Amino acid sequence: MFDSEVQEFLKALSNENRQKILFLFMEHQELTVSEVAIKAEIGQSTASEHLTILKKAGIMSSRKEGKEVIYYPNKEKIVNCLEQLANYLKHCC
């Protein structure tokens, strides 16, 4: 059916908070964990956990600047997974 990459993508986005976090990046190219926590109205440790899951799934990437970790969407990976899903839907249904 799907490769493990697409399964991880779907699993990561099955949580409403992680969906909310991803949509924050429609307005902001990059955000720190603290900024995500404030904008998503969740605790900083919760934001960090969700960002870690999104990063593990390849949806988010990060880089470190001093003590801050800056997160940004991995657009290429997101588009690739969505294209695979669209292709599947064209042929299954």
Side-chain angles (χ1 to χ4, degrees):
M1 189 163 114
F2 296 123
D3 65 18
S4 61
E5 182 177 278
V6 175
Q7 289 176 339
E8 280 294 315
F9 176 84
L10 292 172
K11 184 177 175 183
L13 290 177
S14 67
N15 179 280
E16 188 175 327
N17 280 323
R18 290 191 289 271
Q19 292 170 24
K20 187 176 182 180
I21 288 169
L22 180 62
F23 289 130
L24 291 175
F25 289 90
M26 291 177 67
E27 295 179 21
H28 308 278
Q29 290 185 10
E30 301 179 331
L31 294 168
T32 65
V33 176
S34 299
E35 292 170 329
V36 168
I38 291 166
K39 293 178 185 311
E41 299 177 338
I42 56 178
Q44 189 166 341
S45 62
T46 302
S48 181
E49 288 175 30
H50 286 307
L51 286 164
T52 298
I53 292 168
L54 290 168
K55 185 176 177 183
K56 182 181 175 198
I59 296 168
M60 300 300 296
S61 295
S62 67
R63 72 175 189 285
K64 194 162 177 131
E65 285 188 11
K67 294 183 179 183
E68 295 285 346
V69 178
I70 311 293
Y71 284 88
Y72 52 95
N74 181 344
K75 295 175 185 177
E76 184 178 315
K77 175 81 172 248
I78 294 168
V79 168
N80 180 35
C81 287
L82 291 173
E83 285 174 347
Q84 287 184 55
L85 285 169
N87 191 35
Y88 171 76
L89 291 172
K90 286 179 190 174
H91 293 95
C92 83
C93 308

